[in-house]
Amino acid sequence: MKALLSFCRWIDALGEAIGKLGMWLILAATLISAGNAIVRKAFSISSNAFLEVQWYLFAAVFMLGGGYAFLRNAHVRIDFLAGKFSARTRNWIDIVGIVVFVWPLCYLMITLGWPVFERAWVSGEMSSNAGGLIRWPVYLLIPAGFALLALQSVSELIKRVAFLTGQGPDTLAHSGSSEALETAKAIAEAEHAQAHGGPGRAN
């Protein structure tokens, strides 16, 4: 298990690097978007290439960021319900989710996405817009993004098993409560107090 956890640390380091890259891509997309708007309004100049760069960058952040979101436990889950489960139950739910849903999805998207990228690479497919960009880089993001997600899911599975076997910490407990979870708890507590005549009940 120690060797597997060392492997996890390598995967997690890669995920952190991809996450930091994503932050820079968001900044680049924002600056390009602002520049496009300013140039279009001030000089009535527009470039399809720069417009397409915006959504290329957004696609890169979205596709490559899945693994980083998994690493940070920032992916979508029903936090209000998950917070009621025991630590072991939450980890078992994640294990089942990884094996039953994440891995098959990643396999499907990689096997379907790679031929699309390959055809665009061989043909040199270009955007249909005048002055647009070559298409293969954005098509490559599909298999690459899901490959990174699959790799990170391997790390997360190992960490869940390590916790359940008493050989590692509960990584799900280290993410902290989200603002949404805290808000949901506050609303539930207020509703409970009102229903039972506690503080906050309208007179």
Side-chain angles (χ1 to χ4, degrees):
M1 183 58 74
K2 289 183 179 179
L4 290 175
L5 290 174
S6 296
F7 180 56
C8 287
R9 285 192 287 272
W10 179 84
I11 296 175
D12 293 350
L14 175 62
E16 289 284 355
I18 296 296
K20 291 178 181 178
L21 173 62
M23 297 174 192
W24 286 107
L25 294 180
I26 291 173
L27 175 61
T30 302
L31 294 175
I32 292 173
S33 177
N36 283 338
I38 292 171
V39 170
R40 185 169 61 251
K41 293 294 184 181
F43 305 105
S44 298
I45 299 175
S46 181
S47 167
N48 285 328
F50 279 103
L51 291 173
E52 291 183 3
V53 163
Q54 293 176 213
W55 69 264
Y56 273 36
L57 292 173
F58 175 78
V61 171
F62 183 80
M63 293 304 306
L64 301 180
Y68 179 70
F70 205 174
L71 170 63
R72 289 294 186 174
N73 196 31
H75 54 290
V76 176
R77 66 165 76 238
I78 306 176
D79 286 339
F80 186 60
L81 292 179
K84 296 180 179 296
F85 299 144
S86 68
R88 293 186 65 85
T89 300
R90 288 197 300 270
N91 279 271
W92 272 115
I93 290 173
D94 266 26
I95 289 174
V96 173
I98 290 169
V99 174
V100 176
F101 297 106
V102 177
W103 285 352
L105 174 64
C106 290
Y107 173 78
L108 181 65
M109 296 305 296
I110 292 171
T111 55
L112 292 178
W114 184 262
V116 175
F117 153 72
E118 194 172 31
R119 284 194 298 270
W121 170 272
V122 172
S123 66
E125 180 182 344
M126 297 289 297
S127 168
S128 59
N129 298 315
L133 302 177
I134 195 166
R135 282 289 188 247
W136 69 260
V138 75
Y139 292 153
L140 179 60
L141 291 173
I142 298 173
F146 280 97
L148 288 171
L149 177 58
L151 186 62
Q152 187 62 51
S153 70
V154 171
S155 173
E156 299 307 313
L157 180 68
I158 293 171
K159 287 183 281 188
R160 305 299 186 268
V161 172
F163 169 71
L164 292 172
T165 56
Q167 301 179 68
D170 180 12
T171 55
L172 294 179
H174 296 166
S175 60
S177 298
S178 65
E179 292 183 6
L181 177 57
E182 293 299 325
T183 301
K185 286 182 178 179
I187 292 172
E189 289 172 359
E191 290 178 347
H192 179 78
Q194 290 178 1
H196 292 80
R201 183 175 181 178
N203 294 324

